[in-house]
């Protein structure tokens, strides 16, 4: 799953550690999610939405989805 976490995190001037702490995950996990190596579960996506104050569709997207 592709995402804009790194871009949004930079806009909010947050380090990976700061965002990871806000979400309740370790920095290494955040790094793997940002790089697309790991797909977060629904609960973690909800925590990203709350922490970044953006809808999930602004944070996460999949280029393989056909509309």
């Amino acid at each position: 799953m592709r995402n804009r976490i790194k871009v949004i995190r930079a806009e909010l001037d947050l380090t990976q550690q700061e965002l990871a702490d806000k979400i309740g995950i370790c920095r290494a996990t955040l790094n793997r999610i940002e790089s697309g190596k790991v797909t977060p579960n629904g609960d973690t996506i909800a925590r990203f939405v709350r922490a970044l104050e953006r809808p999930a569709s602004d944070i996460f997207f999949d280029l393989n989805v056909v509309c």
Side-chain angles (χ1 to χ4, degrees):
M1 176 182 290
R2 303 216 7 149
N3 65 71
R4 296 185 61 243
I5 297 168
K6 186 174 184 177
V7 172
I8 296 168
R9 185 172 54 76
E11 290 172 359
L12 297 173
D13 197 30
L14 293 170
T15 66
Q16 276 190 337
Q17 187 63 59
E18 289 168 334
L19 181 55
D21 290 345
K22 284 180 84 164
I23 293 172
I25 60 176
C26 68
R27 190 205 54 78
T29 299
L30 175 57
N31 182 277
R32 289 191 298 272
I33 292 170
E34 273 190 5
S35 65
K37 294 177 183 170
V38 170
T39 299
N41 64 27
D43 179 58
T44 304
I45 290 172
R47 289 188 267 161
F48 273 107
V49 167
R50 284 190 299 273
L52 298 175
E53 298 180 349
R54 303 263 194 337
S57 60
D58 286 356
I59 303 168
F60 300 97
F61 58 95
D62 188 340
L63 297 178
N64 296 320
V65 174
V66 178
C67 297

